[in-house]
Amino acid sequence: MEARWLTVGPVQENTWIARQDGSESCLLIDPGDEPQTLLNALEELNTTPAAILITHCHFDHVGAVKAMAEATKAPVYCPEGEVFILENINDFVRFPGFGPFESYTPEHTVKDGDTLTLAGFTIDVIGTPGHSPDHVTYSIPQEKAIFSGDVLFQGSIGRTDLPGCDHDTLMRSIQKLLDTLPDDTGVLPGHMDPTTLGQERRSNPFLRELV
């Protein structure tokens, strides 16, 4: 798999472009901002999204969804419990100075246990709530990689001080990832640099209670 991340917007969110090596079809994960930057990257790679995947609907992860969906004609896959957020995004921007953003109604919804076949990948949808009410993680087992949104970071975890967040729920979600996926699984997160589950199991101070 070839995976590129572009850090966009004032919150420095990672939007991911993932494809089979050299493929003209790709996945676009969490287009959060700067649609022209994302379109330029797709053009540079000579690839077109087969789908836009959303891990959760905080504004920094979906701010460019409408623009990218309209520009690429790619269908949007959204966690079913957060569709109402995407459809009314400006009602859920909790901080002054951000937005306005464009709402969007997704073509598809996803939930824990779903399996998707897109852009040559078989993708398992894993429910990982806690940072948001219906957050999901997209796992590609044959690549030993997960697009983890804001569940787990290098040396940190997703914040749980926002409406709809819950620390205990987040920790159970992280425990599920650690229990069901191998340590060499690459974690491709929504902020900061990539890591692996094993590295975080060994060194992430926030996971000591789980270990």
Side-chain angles (χ1 to χ4, degrees):
M1 180 175 72
E2 178 184 355
R4 174 184 294 199
W5 80 94
L6 297 96
T7 303
V8 297
V11 189
Q12 295 292 278
E13 182 264 347
N14 292 337
T15 294
W16 289 88
I17 299 171
R19 63 176 178 173
Q20 302 281 0
D21 287 344
S23 174
E24 295 181 0
S25 180
C26 69
L27 302 172
L28 182 65
I29 299 99
D30 284 357
D33 209 330
E34 301 181 36
Q36 192 57 56
T37 298
L38 305 182
L39 289 170
N40 290 345
L42 291 169
E43 182 178 3
E44 177 187 336
L45 293 169
N46 190 31
T47 192
T48 301
I52 296 170
L53 305 182
I54 299 172
T55 62
H56 66 296
C57 288
H58 287 162
F59 72 87
D60 55 319
H61 289 254
V62 300
V65 164
K66 179 178 173 65
M68 295 305 296
E70 292 182 346
T72 66
K73 310 304 181 188
V76 174
Y77 290 72
C78 177
E80 63 178 5
E82 298 193 13
V83 169
F84 71 101
I85 302 175
L86 185 60
E87 291 181 331
N88 303 277
I89 187 61
N90 291 301
D91 293 342
F92 296 90
V93 179
R94 309 293 182 182
F95 306 100
F98 295 100
F101 302 100
E102 294 185 289
S103 298
Y104 192 77
T105 298
E107 286 75 18
H108 303 280
T109 62
V110 296
K111 63 184 185 303
D112 180 53
D114 284 350
T115 298
L116 310 175
T117 302
L118 299 164
F121 296 112
T122 299
I123 306 157
D124 294 334
V125 181
I126 304 172
T128 48
H131 173 70
S132 73
D134 199 28
H135 193 298
V136 301
T137 291
Y138 296 100
S139 171
I140 305 181
Q142 70 266 33
E143 302 291 345
K144 290 189 177 179
I146 57 174
F147 296 96
S148 59
D150 286 1
V151 170
L152 181 63
F153 304 122
Q154 189 178 80
S156 188
I157 59 174
R159 63 188 296 177
T160 54
D161 59 343
L162 300 172
C165 297
D166 182 77
H167 177 78
D168 290 343
T169 301
L170 177 65
M171 298 310 291
R172 286 194 293 271
S173 293
I174 295 172
Q175 184 74 68
K176 178 164 66 171
L177 296 177
L178 294 173
D179 287 348
T180 59
L181 299 172
D183 273 1
D184 59 350
T185 298
V187 178
L188 310 181
H191 300 274
M192 301 187 287
D193 290 343
T195 182
T196 67
L197 286 178
Q199 178 179 332
E200 298 314 304
R201 186 196 300 274
R202 292 187 297 271
S203 64
N204 190 319
F206 294 92
L207 303 191
R208 287 174 185 161
E209 65 185 85
L210 300 181
V211 174

